[in-house]
Amino acid sequence: MNISELKPIFEGKRVVILGLGREGKIWLELLRRLDCCAEIAIADMNPIDLYDLGIPDITAISGDHYLEECHRFDIILQSPGVIIKDKFDEQTKSKILTQTELLLRLKPCKTIGVTGTKGKSTTSSLIFHFLEACGIPTMLIGNIGVPPLKMLEEMRPECVAVCEMSCHQLEFVHHSPEIAVLLNIFPEHLDHYVNFAAYDTAKRNILRFQADSDFAVVNADVLPVECAGTVYSSAFGASADVWTDGHSIHLFGEEIPPELIHTQLCGKHNIYNIAVALAAARLAGADLQKCLESLPRFKGLEHRLERVSIINGVEFINDSISTVPEAAIAAVNAFDGADCLILGGMDRGISYQVLGDFLNNGAVQNVILMPDSGRRIGELVTNPSVNLFHVSDLENAVKTAAKIAKKRVILSPASASYGFYRNFEERGRHFKQLVHSLE
């Protein structure tokens, strides 16, 4: 697609880029190339040194009240990391344009959108892997690290863009992808939203604006949905259009037996991700046999049930991506046993009752609890056969685990990393370093 086709959208407009992260920098590059705006501004909480960036002709807005000036602009280009909550009135919100919305509005190629509280990165990567194995021109973009518009000029009608979509990228969209995948919805990112209903609404936007010729694969637990497209249900352990019992896969009435499912991914829940990825790939024209033949080559993603090392017979697993209770439960259930689970991190006030009930059933013998949420989790564990260890940080958690574990240690914090680490990737890398120091 030629970017000159975007000129009618921005011609003569006063435009503010909200947040100078990955997407913000792509917006800035795009607007400077178009060279048609009446004004370009950057608004960010952090100080902005325009001369250091080499762009002195652009307005800079920074500081604690940077959001208050955005209403005077014609277009607000939002980046996913910027928290809006209730800071804008409805008129100001109507000016917000995101890269995901622009991609879905322009439709330079077919798009498969994937969202869910957990599993969206693995599922997006699997779909991309399957399409590539089938010789279908494809690209992997979105929340997985490549801003949607970075690849705009490479998009052609015959291409399929697999786009991982976070709740933040979906919050202000008014269009939906031709193929939408909604894996699950659990309480998450509530610090970004006024309530869980707002988060839930953002997730469901992925299919809310579909046409009747479009398709959606939706977890049965979140049905019904508002959608004009053809909706296929997906489930783990229950019959649906796409479902698995953790061994075989049932895909649109066809059974794929376990002996045909060869994967390096750990855990029964990843069989569900594979099933959904196969369904989306099939809807995009992929050949099932070629997809299954390519599956053994898919290695999985870092920090997602990643095997780190085996030390003195004890296996160490890095699941730092885990930021909600359901993810920690899934991590334990992924194996035939885990005698040591490391939990805790930033306390965002979410309920841990489901995790407390799970631990009280004796699923894990030893639970290591880190600040801050670890304290609240520990208060819910009342089974005297579960050993609780309160530690000050991840380093002491690993040292404690090395002393008590006999079989398997899983880092699956069920909590965000902020306040202790920049992100879950940094937390996961630190865990791996600490484990390797034991070797």
Side-chain angles (χ1 to χ4, degrees), residues 309-317 335-340 366 401 404-410:
S309 183
I310 297 177
I311 302 172
N312 298 324
V314 176
E315 184 178 33
F316 287 79
I317 302 294
F335 299 94
D336 59 358
D339 58 343
C340 192
N366 303 298
I404 62 177
K406 304 297 182 186
K407 184 175 184 179
R408 182 174 291 112
V409 176
I410 303 178

Side-chain angles (χ1 to χ4, degrees), residues 119-316:
K120 56 185 177 291
S121 293
T122 295
T123 303
S124 299
S125 300
L126 276 164
I127 296 169
F128 170 75
H129 177 82
F130 291 149
L131 295 180
E132 198 171 47
C134 292
I136 297 173
T138 184
M139 60 181 65
L140 183 59
I141 59 175
N143 191 59
I144 203 159
V146 180
L149 297 187
K150 186 174 184 179
M151 308 288 287
L152 186 63
E153 290 174 292
E154 298 177 38
M155 294 179 182
R156 301 289 182 269
E158 66 274 13
C159 179
V160 178
V162 182
C163 187
E164 180 190 331
M165 299 177 176
S166 70
C167 53
H168 313 309
Q169 290 167 318
L170 289 166
E171 184 175 7
F172 298 104
V173 300
H174 301 285
H175 295 78
S176 295
E178 290 90 337
I179 300 173
V181 173
L182 178 53
L183 291 165
N184 46 56
I185 303 178
F186 306 127
E188 170 76 300
H189 296 301
L190 300 189
D191 51 327
H192 282 243
Y193 294 90
V194 292
N195 51 39
F196 174 69
Y199 169 74
D200 182 82
T201 297
K203 285 292 189 187
R204 292 173 187 269
N205 280 344
I206 195 169
L207 46 86
R208 194 183 308 277
F209 308 102
Q210 281 195 321
D212 56 10
S213 59
D214 296 334
F215 300 97
V217 181
V218 182
N219 189 300
D221 290 340
V222 300
L223 291 173
V225 291
E226 179 185 337
C227 179
T230 301
V231 177
Y232 296 104
S233 60
S234 62
F236 181 92
S239 182
D241 297 311
V242 180
W243 68 282
T244 178
D245 56 3
H247 302 286
S248 61
I249 288 174
H250 300 260
L251 195 65
F252 307 128
E254 180 180 354
E255 182 177 1
I256 305 170
E259 56 266 25
L260 295 182
I261 305 169
H262 303 288
T263 178
Q264 297 185 50
L265 298 178
C266 300
K268 293 181 179 179
H269 69 282
N270 269 321
I271 305 298
Y272 170 73
N273 293 335
I274 291 169
V276 172
L278 286 171
R282 283 287 300 277
L283 291 170
D287 179 81
L288 178 59
Q289 186 60 37
K290 289 182 180 178
C291 291
L292 291 172
E293 289 172 356
S294 73
L295 182 57
R297 300 194 296 272
F298 185 81
K299 296 181 179 179
L301 305 178
E302 191 179 15
H303 312 299
R304 295 157 175 87
L305 291 183
E306 175 191 11
R307 287 190 175 95
V308 178
S309 183
I310 297 177
I311 302 172
N312 298 324
V314 176
E315 184 178 33
F316 287 79

